[in-house]
């Protein structure tokens, strides 16, 4: 079951084909250096041990939960029994700071016409700004202070902060273990994606218009506590406890990870690489999930309220993609592992005149293109054109 979270560049549709190519590579452990939401690793169990890496912290937490955790997520009834009182206490304390704004938001959520909505929305925004100025800070107010009336409504961000406060209190009391805490946080991320006022990611939140305000209101009405508990029931680790005990996860830049492996006596037999292939920085789409995991009150900028310290990959930079890819392929070859690569024919490397196949042939004994699969790729909001784009996904195998 895993986590079933939509993610930019996911390979869920092609995971069986990737697993098939890997089955023809060296025996032994497989390292997925851009693991994302772990679809390839899932397809490999129980036949291979899996090492999973992702530079994004939320993705790393997902990989750790899916591939290494002993515990399953707690069931919703147990979670409610343990956390609800703490959740309600914190929620009440935050709501006391925004009494008038919450009253206006409740009226706003009942609007049936855009004209009435516009009038009430301006009053709500004005009152929210006033009450933010007088807010007396306490612990666990990050989302309330930074993201109210953006990707989420005011009462929704209060719920997010209150859930996280309750999770921490339960953990400090030893009512839940670290594995449980991880699953609870991942489930909250999934619930946030489902309730966000966006097109399924956090690149930019949507502003209500005459044709979309009902969708806006429908999302604002969604209850985070309910969505969170529901998400817990739709997630689980993969494989057996014994299989998961032998896996490993990493939270590193892929190049740095290769350097560490070259200094290690224990190395994977196969390395799967699925690098970013557009000039969109993936961290734009998931910065809120990074903040959820770190809960560090970051500085934020721009229309999307991005973290100022968000990661930027060279694989999405026209000036650096070719050299970065060649460096990665060379380092993988130096580990003695076989390489399996996914890359589409419309990827950025081809746009800058670089052929992945030729680079692989410079560093590996035998290289072949094993699959070329045509499909329609979602553009996650169609910021640069149509919502779907025709793509040929290629899967290469390089033998050491």
């Amino acid at each position: 079951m895993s986590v079933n979270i939509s993610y930019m560049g996911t390979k869920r549709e092609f995971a069986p084909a990737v697993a098939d190519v890997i089955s023809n590579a060296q025996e032994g452990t497989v390292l997925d250096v851009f693991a994302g939401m772990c679809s390839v690793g899932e397809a490999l169990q129980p036949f291979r041990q899996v090492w999973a890496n992702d530079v994004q912290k939320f993705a790393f937490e997902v990989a750790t939960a899916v591939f290494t955790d002993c515990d399953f997520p707690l069931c919703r009834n147990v979670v409610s029994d343990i956390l609800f009182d703490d959740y309600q206490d914190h929620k009440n304390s935050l709501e006391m700071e925004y009494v008038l704004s919450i009253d206006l938001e409740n009226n706003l959520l009942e609007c049936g016409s855009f004209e009435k909505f516009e009038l009430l929305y301006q009053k709500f925004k004005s009152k929210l700004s006033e009450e933010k100025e007088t807010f007396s800070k306490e612990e666990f107010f990050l989302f309330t202070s930074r993201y109210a009336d953006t990707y989420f409504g005011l009462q929704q961000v209060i719920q997010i902060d209150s859930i996280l406060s309750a999770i921490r209190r339960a953990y400090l009391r030893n009512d839940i273990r670290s594995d449980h805490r991880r699953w609870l946080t991942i489930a909250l991320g999934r619930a946030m994606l489902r309730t966000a006022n966006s097109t399924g990611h956090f690149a930019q939140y949507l502003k209500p218009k005459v044709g979309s305000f009902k969708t806006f209101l429908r999302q604002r009405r969604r209850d985070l506590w309910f969505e969170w508990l529901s998400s817990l029931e739709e997630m689980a680790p993969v494989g057996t406890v014994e299989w998961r005990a032998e896996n490993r996860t990493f939270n590193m830049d892929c190049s740095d990870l290769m350097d560490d492996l070259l200094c290690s006596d224990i190395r994977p037999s196969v390395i799967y690489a699925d690098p970013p292939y557009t000039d969109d920085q993936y961290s734009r789409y998931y910065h809120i999930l990074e903040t959820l995991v770190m809960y560090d009150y970051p500085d934020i900028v721009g229309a999307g309220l991005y973290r100022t310290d968000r990661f930027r990959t060279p694989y999405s930079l026209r000036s650096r993609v070719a050299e970065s890819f060649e460096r990665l392929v060379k380092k993988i070859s130096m580990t003695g592992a076989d390489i399996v690569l996914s890359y589409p024919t419309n990827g950025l490397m081809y746009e800058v005149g670089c052929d992945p196949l030729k680079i692989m042939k410079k560093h590996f004994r035998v290289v072949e293109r094993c699959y070329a699969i045509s499909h329609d790729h979602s553009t996650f909001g169609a910021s640069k054109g149509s919502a779907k784009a025709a793509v040929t996904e290629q899967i290469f195998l390089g033998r050491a």
Side-chain angles (χ1 to χ4, degrees), residues 91-103:
K91 182 169 172 284
N92 288 341
S93 69
L94 289 175
E95 287 175 342
M96 288 293 293
E97 303 285 347
Y98 293 96
V99 173
L100 298 178
S101 296
I102 289 173
D103 187 53

Side-chain angles (χ1 to χ4, degrees), residues 5 13 17 23 75 96 137 182 187 194 199 201 247 250 306 399:
I5 294 176
E13 183 179 351
S23 71
C75 72
M96 288 293 293
K137 293 179 174 57
R182 181 178 295 110
R194 293 171 67 173
T199 56
H201 54 70
N247 297 331
F250 308 89
Y306 306 136
R399 301 180 188 275

Side-chain angles (χ1 to χ4, degrees), residues 13-68:
E13 183 179 351
F14 310 108
V18 174
D20 180 55
V21 175
I22 289 172
S23 71
N24 292 295
Q26 295 183 52
E27 294 293 325
T29 299
V30 177
L31 166 62
D32 184 349
V33 290
F34 302 93
M37 292 296 103
C38 305
S39 55
V40 169
E42 285 183 60
L44 293 173
Q45 66 85 27
F47 308 107
R48 300 268 191 158
Q49 294 303 144
V50 172
W51 292 1
N53 174 68
D54 204 287
V55 72
Q56 297 291 318
K57 295 186 185 300
F58 182 81
F60 164 71
E61 291 295 317
V62 168
T64 302
V66 169
F67 294 135
T68 73

Side-chain angles (χ1 to χ4, degrees), residues 254-309:
C254 62
S255 184
D256 294 338
L257 178 57
M258 291 303 110
D259 290 339
D260 282 3
L261 289 177
L262 289 171
C263 297
S264 173
D265 294 331
I266 303 174
R267 299 176 183 176
S269 299
V270 183
I271 296 178
Y272 170 61
D274 171 34
Y277 58 87
T278 75
D279 57 5
D280 282 319
Q281 290 287 341
Y282 283 17
S283 60
R284 288 181 60 231
Y285 295 87
Y286 302 108
H287 59 101
I288 295 284
L289 298 179
E290 297 298 282
T291 298
L292 167 67
V293 171
M294 291 187 281
Y295 210 84
D296 55 352
Y297 299 85
D299 293 330
I300 54 178
V301 296
L305 306 178
Y306 306 136
R307 299 176 61 94
T308 55
D309 63 349

